[in-house]
Amino acid sequence: MNRDAKGPSVLAAAFAASIPVLLGYVTIGIAFGLLLVRSGLPWWLAPVMSVVIYAGAAQFMAVGLFAAGTGILEIAALTLFLNARHAVYGLSMLERYAPFGKHKPYLIYALTDETYGILTTVEAPALAHKGAFYAAVSALNQSYWVLGTALGAIVGGLIPFDTTGLDFALTALFIVLLVEQTRSVRKSLPYLVAAFSTALSLIAIGPKNLLIASIGLSILLILPFKRRLERA
Amino acid sequence: MPSILLAVLVMGLVTLACRAAPFILFMKRKPPAALDFLQRYIPPMIMTILVLNGLKGIRFDRAPFGLSEIAAALLVALFQLWKRNVLLSIGAGTALYMLLIRLF
């Protein structure tokens, strides 16, 4: 085992896996940085939030809450509600992350929607370096977000072209990951249950808090099918 | 400003708590038996939900009735099924979306 030779190849594989997130995080990050400075907050708060919080939707929400002078308890409760879905992600990562003691704290801290999507879908290259690969993908993704948000806050106003619609890249990333999931999980039930749960949640509570409602509902609804899915 | 920094810190701790909760909860005790099952079926369900969540802003009640989003989403899926090149799928779909929302 030549450790020196393995280092760059793990990083190269991680970079290749993370490029789709680069596209999405830099564009959404710039949008966030712009919004932050236009709300009268200092530019450096953008990268600080991207390191301390590192959760896109929560950061967008925070800018509005700060501008409205919302109390800290309410901010904490709203953050808890918005990010509770990450506990579900962690739950399905318990075994996957179990062997990576050294990298585990960072992997847990950096588990965003997009990183979860990549790491549950993309095959890690060399088994011996899986932990390093996961950590490198997570760290690259976070660096894109920190850079994007800082860039948006510092020079976002100077972007000469109309970037409307560029945020579709993140939806496109999830579509790609969904297609890849259908290659490994070849049963229609989970997809149908998830789609049904999302539709029902949208009708019942509307577009706000849709993620947490539909994730919770889909887990409740899939459990009765446990036997059937395992038998087939 | 100090109150905003405190709020950022609190948000960071709450977010970290959400992400770390399952790992702390099952550090010593064994995870429930249903977990094997959930580890396998949560990712496809989450990906379905994240896609639909990204498309929830579609306005079917006015022109072009969500056709820009649907056409772009289909292009991404078809490219991914056909070529399996992630960047190509995302790039083509996003470019088509940006073009369509400017045309219609």
Side-chain angles (χ1 to χ4, degrees), chain A residues 107-127:
Chain A
L107 289 172
I108 292 169
Y109 149 82
L111 193 59
T112 61
D113 293 328
E114 291 75 17
T115 301
Y116 175 78
I118 298 274
L119 295 185
T120 49
T121 310
V122 175
E123 241 356 278
L127 251 135

Side-chain angles (χ1 to χ4, degrees), chain A residues 175-221:
Chain A
I175 294 171
V176 162
L177 296 174
L178 177 60
V179 167
E180 291 308 308
Q181 283 291 333
T182 63
R183 292 185 206 265
S184 59
V185 180
R186 309 186 69 92
K187 282 172 188 160
S188 54
L189 197 65
Y191 306 99
L192 292 175
V193 166
F196 175 75
S197 304
T198 313
L200 199 64
S201 305
L202 192 59
I203 293 166
I205 64 156
K208 239 182 134 192
N209 306 319
L210 183 63
L211 272 181
I212 185 67
S214 33
I215 289 173
L217 188 60
S218 66
I219 291 174
L220 280 180
L221 292 180

